[in-house]
């Protein structure tokens, strides 16, 4: 039973994408997107910790398994994909290109869920590449010049990320004894691998790009505003988690890896504050949310860096738990943008109420899902310096999210009687409720913490004061924020004026990397399989 759930998680959306060969099914596929992630949700509830599923086909070996941290992320991600799929059916109901969108959506979904299950290098690479490259179709769906520019930049960075990971996996396989492709064997070989510095660097580059680490983050503030609303929700809430699960699966937590944990933690903390600093200069609510994702992924990566530096395997589960709240809450906020745009009069205030709760939850307001997520990782940031940085991060997050709320309310319809379609409202409200309550269920149900600790006076005050200070600073920003410099979406992309020279300099190094790849036959098979999938997807969408 558990093996069938693991297998159905990526195969059901793949089969639905294949069914789009039929023009009749393709035009109706939007109505069924809500069903595609349900095997993944069932697997997260029923298949965690079960025996691995091993598939052998003509000498190729694919292994699927679900660990507890991956199960938490899989469940939240599947729920987001399902509700965003229901939202998309209404949001894109009259779009003539909705069939093409459905194919891109389903292929991206298959990869997005597959990365949480893959237990060998080849399977993980195929799933990761699929979620990376198929998402291009979601970014360019609107067909505008802005969307195509964002899509090109996204695709170039995605390919660079794939190159980094393919090189890292080839070097990992070369350092692994025997012919094993199991991730656990590759990770066990990493601390003593001759090319360890290169492998770790490539892993951080490949996964950090997907997670939005600065300066690899530029695709987020470009792709999110350009994509349709449901696509933005999964790009920010789900797809960036492919980078997080990659770091969780491939870094040797509990092993001796001197210095790398501190480097990763420093990169994460810098990203966390950078996302806030640039985000408060933005006017587009979707762009503000994109920079908020950059900031929150920075905190998550910092947690993983501290776990690596301290040899604390248990902290990995806490980092995954922290990321679960981001999956649900950020997805709900993107869906809220479309709902607010169709609201007028008193209805607008009723919609902004749950959004306001989500905003405060991101700052760590006690008794909310975000509050319990921050409480769970509080001990990881123990110590005067880390504790102060954690509190400042909560203050900055509150400022940024209140800024988002103030920008969001300006999108409200000027027609008092206008109301959003029910097909937009109920997925948003369901996801908002899951973001506020779901982390509590995990916190208490999986033994991460206790109710007594969450309700302690000291813990409550530690969660309240950063939110209060953030609110005060946000009001000051609202009044005097016009004095801030205008920072374009994508910020560091001004450096792309030198891109041709940089690409030329990288050419020789890429050719050297090709020699390494030729020594790993699985790489060629993985690339061939990916090419077939992408060609098939484009043919189906034509």
């Amino acid at each position: 039973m558990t093996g069938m759930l693991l297998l159905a998680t990526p195969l059901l959306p793949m089969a639905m994408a294949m069914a789009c060969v039929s023009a009749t099914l393709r035009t109706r596929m939007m109505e069924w997107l809500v069903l595609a992630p349900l095997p993944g949700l069932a697997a997260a509830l029923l298949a965690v910790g079960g025996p691995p599923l091993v598939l052998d086909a003509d000498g190729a070996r694919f292994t699927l398994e679900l660990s507890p941290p991956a199960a938490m992320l899989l469940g939240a991600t599947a729920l987001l994909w399902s509700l965003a799929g229901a939202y998309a059916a209404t949001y894109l109901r009259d779009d003539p290109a909705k069939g093409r969108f459905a194919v891109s959506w389903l292929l991206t979904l298959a990869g997005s869920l597959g990365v949480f299950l893959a237990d060998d290098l080849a399977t993980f690479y195929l799933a990761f590449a699929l979620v990376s490259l198929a998402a291009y179709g979601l970014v360019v769906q609107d067909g505008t010049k802005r969307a195509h520019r964002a899509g090109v930049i996204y695709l170039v960075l995605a390919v660079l990320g794939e190159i980094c990971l393919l090189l890292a996996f080839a070097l990992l396989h070369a350092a692994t004894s025997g012919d094993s492709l199991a991730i656990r064997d590759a990770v066990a070989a990493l601390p003593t691998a001759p090319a360890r510095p290169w492998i770790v660097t490539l892993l951080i580059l490949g996964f950090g790009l997907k997670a939005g680490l600065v300066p690899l983050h530029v695709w987020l503030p470009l792709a999110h505003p350009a994509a349709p609303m449901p696509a933005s929700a999964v790009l920010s809430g789900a797809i960036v988690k492919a980078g997080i699960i990659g770091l969780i699966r491939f870094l040797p937590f509990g092993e001796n890896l001197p210095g790398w944990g501190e480097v990763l933690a420093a990169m994460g903390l810098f990203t966390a504050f950078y996302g806030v600093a640039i985000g408060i200069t933005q006017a587009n609510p979707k762009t503000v949310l994109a920079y908020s994702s950059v900031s929150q992924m920075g905190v998550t990566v910092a947690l993983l860096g501290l776990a690596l530096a301290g040899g604390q395997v248990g902290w990995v589960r806490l980092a995954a738990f922290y990321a679960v709240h981001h999956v649900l809450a950020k997805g709900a906020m993107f869906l809220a943008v479309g709902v607010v745009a169709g609201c007028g009069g008193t209805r607008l205030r009723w919609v902004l109420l749950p959004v306001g709760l989500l905003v405060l939850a991101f700052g760590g307001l006690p008794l909310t899902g975000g509050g319990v997520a921050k409480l769970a990782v509080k001990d990881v940031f123990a110590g005067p310096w880390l504790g102060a940085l954690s509190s400042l991060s909560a203050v900055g997050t509150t400022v940024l999210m209140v800024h988002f709320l103030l920008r969001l309310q300006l999108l409200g319809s000027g027609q008092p009687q206008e109301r959003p379609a029910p097909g937009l409202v109920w997925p948003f409200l369901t996801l908002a409720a899951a973001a506020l309550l779901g982390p509590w269920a995990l916190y208490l149900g999986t033994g991460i913490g206790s109710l007594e600790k969450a309700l302690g006076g000291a813990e409550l005050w530690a969660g309240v004061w950063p939110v209060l200070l953030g609110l005060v600073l946000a009001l000051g920003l609202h009044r005097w924020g016009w004095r801030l410099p205008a920072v374009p979406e994508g910020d560091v992309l001004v450096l792309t004026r030198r891109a041709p020279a940089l690409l030329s300099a990288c050419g020789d190094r890429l050719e050297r990397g090709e020699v390494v790849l030729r020594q790993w036959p699985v790489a060629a098979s993985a690339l061939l399989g990916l090419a077939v999938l992408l060609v098939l997807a484009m043919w189906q969408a034509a």
Side-chain angles (χ1 to χ4, degrees), residues 311-517:
Q312 299 287 341
V313 178
W315 288 355
V316 174
R317 185 173 68 137
L318 299 181
F321 173 69
Y322 185 87
V324 163
H325 172 257
H326 181 266
V327 172
L328 301 172
K330 191 53 62 67
M333 285 186 167
F334 270 107
L335 298 188
V337 176
V339 175
V340 167
C343 280
T346 58
R347 293 185 182 89
L348 177 60
R349 290 194 290 271
W350 283 108
V351 171
L352 291 177
L353 178 61
V355 177
L357 287 175
L358 292 174
V359 162
L360 298 179
F362 261 111
L365 183 69
L367 306 183
T368 64
V372 75
K374 288 191 178 293
L375 175 63
V377 302
K378 181 180 178 182
D379 291 341
V380 181
F381 290 107
W385 285 103
L386 285 175
L389 289 174
S390 177
S391 297
L392 286 176
S393 174
V395 173
T397 297
T398 303
V399 173
L400 181 59
M401 297 316 299
V402 172
H403 175 62
F404 159 75
L405 183 62
L406 294 173
R407 302 304 305 183
L408 178 65
Q409 68 176 351
L410 299 179
L411 292 182
S413 170
Q415 304 298 323
Q417 300 305 316
E418 188 170 354
R419 65 175 64 189
L424 303 182
V425 175
W426 75 260
F428 155 64
L429 291 178
T430 304
L431 199 55
L436 292 169
L437 302 176
W440 272 103
L442 282 176
Y443 180 79
L444 299 175
T446 61
I448 292 176
S450 65
L451 187 62
E452 291 77 14
K453 180 179 180 180
L455 298 180
E459 303 293 351
L460 292 175
W461 173 243
V464 167
W465 75 260
V467 174
L468 293 177
L469 180 56
L471 286 170
V472 173
L473 294 177
L475 294 177
L477 175 67
H478 181 59
R479 182 170 182 178
W480 294 291
W482 58 271
R483 299 183 180 181
L484 293 175
V487 179
E489 296 173 351
D491 51 280
V492 297
L493 274 181
V494 294
L495 299 178
T496 56
R497 295 171 185 171
R498 300 180 58 190
L502 293 175
L503 291 175
S504 176
C506 292
D508 293 339
R509 291 171 177 79
L510 292 178
E511 289 179 0
R512 296 172 197 166
E514 184 183 2
V515 176
V516 178
L517 296 181

Side-chain angles (χ1 to χ4, degrees), residues 59 80 253 499:
L80 169 57
F253 298 96

